[in-house]
Amino acid sequence: MTETELDALFLALANATRRQILDIVLESPGCTAGFVADHFDISRIAILKHLNTLEEAGLLISQKQGRERLLYMNPVPLQLVQERWSRQYAEFWASRLTRLKYTIETAARQDRRKEKHDESQ
Amino acid sequence: MTSPSERADRLVSKIVIRGRIEDIWRELTKQGEAQAAVFNAWLHAQTLAPGARLQMRTADGRYAIVIGEVLDFDPPRRFAHSFRFTQYDDAPCTVVYELRPVAAGVEVSLTVENLPVGTRTAKSMTSGATTILSTLKAVIEDGRPGFGSRLMYWIMDRMTFVLPKRCRSEAWPM
């Protein structure tokens, strides 16, 4: 993700109302802006602005169906952020797993060699 | 007007990828090699035209993980197919890939329709769709999947023995 995309994402998430909107859409995929607005005591225009911010950040997808626009949450940007900062931990555990594999395989090889040696004695 | 709960059988994910639309299309439709973006599965299809059967198999070809039928094939814009995990008895759903050039690259959307809500298929598709798009982005922009995906594929290749017998390819003739 570019820095501009990250800025848009974190800006969108840095607001309690917008985070609540994401919860509502996640819980009710395919809901409308009106459905979302019914959960708040603020104006519909304010809700539409929040929806636009979320859509610009890639967190919301709106699809036109007839006269309605249906809303879906898009988790992909969050996955990209998670991957960006978790990679170093994944590599750490992978190196531990690889070391474990080599340790076990080396021990098994040594055991086989010892068995062969004992048989030949 | 339909209620939100009646539309919960649809999953929509999108991503913008900096790359050529032809390269992205190829990654999603290529045969004869692993599709790094789609869990390293091998796509087998009679032909990529509506009505043709397709399968996603493991690298050794011994297991068919997914079966389906091509519903729409319109290069390099739209690829739709039915989708059913051989491991489960859940009803099939429909997977639709749509590619659209945008200023920053190519917008790829992955829509799952008729998702059997509350099933293991739904759970797998919900997490799988996100993984497919983020891995596709890494494959196109960086030349290979991210480290986490590569580690997952390494483990998956060595764990095929845990798949049930019903997934064996011979049980699912093309």
Side-chain angles (χ1 to χ4, degrees):
Chain A
M1 289 179 92
T2 64
E3 292 304 315
T4 310
E5 289 166 341
L6 280 171
D7 284 347
L9 178 66
F10 285 110
L11 172 76
L13 289 171
N15 179 284
T17 302
R18 287 197 285 270
R19 290 193 296 272
Q20 211 177 328
I21 290 174
L22 286 179
D23 289 336
I24 293 165
V25 176
L26 185 64
E27 188 68 25
S28 304
C31 63
T32 60
F35 177 84
V36 172
D38 288 344
H39 289 73
F40 297 92
D41 287 332
I42 54 178
S43 71
R44 296 211 166 202
I45 291 173
I47 290 294
L48 287 176
K49 279 186 182 171
H50 284 310
L51 291 176
N52 279 341
T53 304
L54 289 166
E55 202 172 343
E56 281 166 14
L59 287 165
L60 268 193
I61 296 170
S62 75
Q63 290 195 331
K64 201 163 186 227
Q65 187 172 304
R67 293 171 61 188
E68 293 178 318
R69 292 201 76 84
L70 310 183
L71 302 171
Y72 297 89
M73 185 183 164
N74 182 27
V76 174
L78 299 177
Q79 169 90 6
L80 295 176
V81 165
Q82 189 265 336
E83 284 176 7
R84 172 169 167 163
W85 278 288
S86 66
R87 193 178 304 152
Q88 56 184 310
Y89 300 106
E91 285 173 3
F92 168 76
W93 284 108
S95 69
R96 295 285 290 254
L97 281 173
T98 314
R99 203 177 309 154
L100 179 66
K101 169 184 153 67
Y102 289 140
T103 305
I104 291 169
E105 287 177 352
T106 306
R109 267 200 305 273
Q110 283 170 348
D111 284 350
R112 280 197 297 273
R113 272 196 212 121
K114 189 171 180 300
E115 279 170 17
K116 275 186 187 171
H117 181 263
D118 291 347
E119 283 168 12
S120 64
Q121 291 297 306
Chain B
M1 195 173 88
T2 51
S3 70
S5 62
E6 288 173 298
R7 305 184 200 108
D9 65 349
R10 175 181 277 245
L11 191 69
V12 189
S13 311
K14 270 187 193 177
I15 200 166
V16 173
I17 298 176
R18 281 173 282 281
R20 295 180 343 127
I21 196 167
E22 295 81 9
D23 294 339
I24 299 168
W25 179 259
R26 183 181 176 279
E27 278 303 321
L28 294 170
T29 58
K30 65 186 180 184
Q31 298 188 70
E33 59 184 299
Q35 289 196 359
V38 191
F39 297 98
N40 239 15
W42 288 54
L43 174 64
H44 292 254
Q46 294 170 317
T47 176
L48 286 171
R53 285 188 202 165
L54 62 75
Q55 295 185 353
M56 303 299 291
R57 290 187 186 170
T58 51
D60 58 13
R62 291 179 63 205
Y63 297 92
I65 307 298
V66 170
I67 57 169
E69 184 183 307
V70 179
L71 301 173
D72 192 10
F73 192 78
D74 180 17
R77 310 278 175 194
R78 194 169 193 273
F79 176 33
H81 62 86
S82 59
F83 182 108
R84 204 200 119 190
F85 285 113
T86 56
Q87 197 170 350
Y88 309 139
D89 291 321
D90 302 334
C93 50
T94 301
V95 170
V96 185
Y97 293 100
E98 287 173 302
L99 279 56
R100 186 171 71 93
V102 292
V106 178
E107 183 186 82
V108 181
S109 71
L110 171 50
T111 305
V112 183
E113 296 167 350
N114 306 316
L115 196 63
V117 178
T119 61
R120 284 184 290 186
T121 294
K123 196 176 171 189
S124 298
M125 297 305 277
T126 302
S127 61
T130 309
T131 304
I132 288 172
L133 290 187
S134 63
T135 311
L136 180 63
K137 184 177 175 73
V139 168
I140 297 296
E141 294 184 359
D142 307 330
R144 63 178 184 167
F147 185 81
S149 299
R150 297 204 306 277
L151 181 64
M152 179 174 68
Y153 296 164
W154 186 84
I155 294 168
M156 281 166 56
D157 277 351
R158 282 151 187 81
M159 295 291 285
T160 51
F161 64 88
V162 301
L163 290 167
K165 277 184 185 172
R166 62 185 289 181
C167 296
R168 286 192 181 158
S169 297
E170 58 263 29
W172 306 95
M174 287 287 285

